[in-house]
Structures are given as structure tokens and as C-alpha cells.
Amino acid sequence: MSWDDRQRAMLAEMGFRLPAAAAVAAVEMPQASEATEPDPIDVAAPSPVVVRVARPAAAAQLPASVATPAAAPMATASDFTGMDLPTLREAVSACQACGLCEKRRHAVFGGGALGQAQWLVVTDPPDDADDAAGEAFVGDVGRLLDRMLLGAGQRRMMGPRGEAPTAFVTPLVKCRPPRGRAPLPAELAACEAVLVRQIELLQPRLVLALGLQAARRLTGQTEPLGRLRGHVHRWGGLPVVVSFAPAYLLRSPADKAGAWDDLCLALRTTQSS
Ligand code: SF4
């Protein structure tokens, strides 16, 4: 499948750099059909995916398929074991497992695929708009994220012709830290139980970590975002690809080209996993 003029124009408008025409290969993704959305994309295929095995998050209670020797119990976590997705969402809305519950207006559970997801998109903690709405990525940031996902053949919402969502988008911690500060280690550890249960239920093939806080937590590293990008990390057994936060891309559109490279890496990784 090749890029048509409309796809090229749309992606160029977004600031995404396209792969060279001679180095593309088809990606088997659900068909995006509406006129304003891109079709499944082609990505540069020949370069092999290089996996960087990172130290996983120490407190993760990962499902058996992604369990790691480093897994350890969490002292402050609620027990979300056995909950289905709607029940888990309800539990999170009333969760008091860490101090972030005190100042939140709404917990942000996230949304997207209702069954198995191709991608789990894990973002930095909710911002003020997310906290007010109780939803992840509202407004311009959400529109940019949705277009990025659609460009990669993924969607977090039902399409106009009934296309099922293939991605689930959720914040690293579900409640906004006061004044937008970074979550404390105990808060991260407490909320990881929710993320782990989401992974158990959604069985994603890949985790896309958007933003520095999500990237550092899921790679177990403290390097700058620029050094975490461009590699395939592991969180338990799951491949993790790192990219910019959409809110940052709105402020720094020159980095959209790099974000596009990251999405292409995620696609290649999904194909090869
Ligand atoms: S951040 Fe997570 S663990 Fe803490 S109260 Fe909110 S949902 Fe519960």
C-alpha cells in the first residue's frame, strides 16, 4: 500500500516526516474509512527492531504473561484483582489508595478499546482539563493524539462506520497531582495496580509511553526523554516505545517529525511481536 496525496498532505500539515517512498511496506491495520482520516499507513520496513531491555518498574504486579523476576508486592495498593473493565473504572472513581484522591476533582481512568487492544497508550498524569472532565486528552491535545493514532492505523474511539477502537489511552496515575507536580514514588506504586489490571484486561501488544514521567516509569530509567526514544524497552514482557507528550508537541511542532518516527517504530514492533 502506498501513500496517496491526501495522506501525504495531511501528515505533512501535522509536521510528520514521511518515510522514503522506496522504503515502505504495507502495515496490516484496521481500515480507517472516513474522508477526514488517514488510511492505514506504510512504515519503513527494512530496519530491524532493536530491543533495549530495561529494568522494569519494581512494584509491578504484572500478569503471568508479562511477569518479571523483579516484581514485588505493593504496600499501599488497593486490590483490583478480578475486576472487569467497568467495575475497575467504578473502583478507580472512588479510589483512596493514595493521597492524590484528596485534591482530585475526577479520577481519569482513560478510554478506548473495550476488549483486546493493540496499543495501550500510557500518558503523563492528568492535567487540569483532564481532571475537570474526568477524561484523558480533551480539547486540542486530544485531537492531536487522535490524529497521531489514526495516522498509525489506531483509534481510541469508535469510527463513524462502526470501526472498533484498537487503542486504549490511560494516564500513568489516574488522579492529578496538586499543582501539576510529579507523582511521588508511593503514589506511582499505588496506582500501578490499576495499570497492571488494565493490562491484564486489555492484553495490549505494545505500550506507547507519551511524556517524560510515563517514559521514565515504564522504562525504569531516569535519562532524558531524548535518550529513551528510538529504542524498544520492556516493561515486564511488554514492548514499550517512548515518544513526546501531545501537549508538548502542540508547543513544539518541530518535534512532530520525531514523534512520527516513534510511531513508525511502534508499528514495526507491533508487526514483529
Ligand atoms: S492516583 Fe491511583 S491509587 Fe491514587 S487515589 Fe487515584 S486512582 Fe487511587
Side-chain angles (χ1 to χ4, degrees), residues 25 27 33 44 53 60 66 115 137 147 149 175 184 190 198 201 204 240 273:
V27 176
S33 54
V53 179
V66 293
F137 288 109
R147 296 192 76 182
L149 290 176
C175 302
L184 303 173
Q198 287 176 314
L201 291 165
V240 177
S273 64

Side-chain angles (χ1 to χ4, degrees), residues 80 92 95-101 104 107 173-175 187 190-191 194:
F80 301 107
V92 166
C95 180
Q96 298 182 345
C98 81
L100 294 182
C101 67
R104 73 174 178 221
V173 296
K174 314 310 182 194
C175 302
E187 295 161 350
C191 212
V194 181

Side-chain angles (χ1 to χ4, degrees), residues 79-95 109 194 197-198 201:
D79 184 6
F80 301 107
T81 308
M83 291 184 182
D84 62 15
L85 214 52
T87 308
L88 183 63
R89 181 187 294 273
E90 281 294 312
V92 166
S93 70
C95 180
F109 185 73
V194 181
R197 185 60 189 152
Q198 287 176 314
L201 291 165

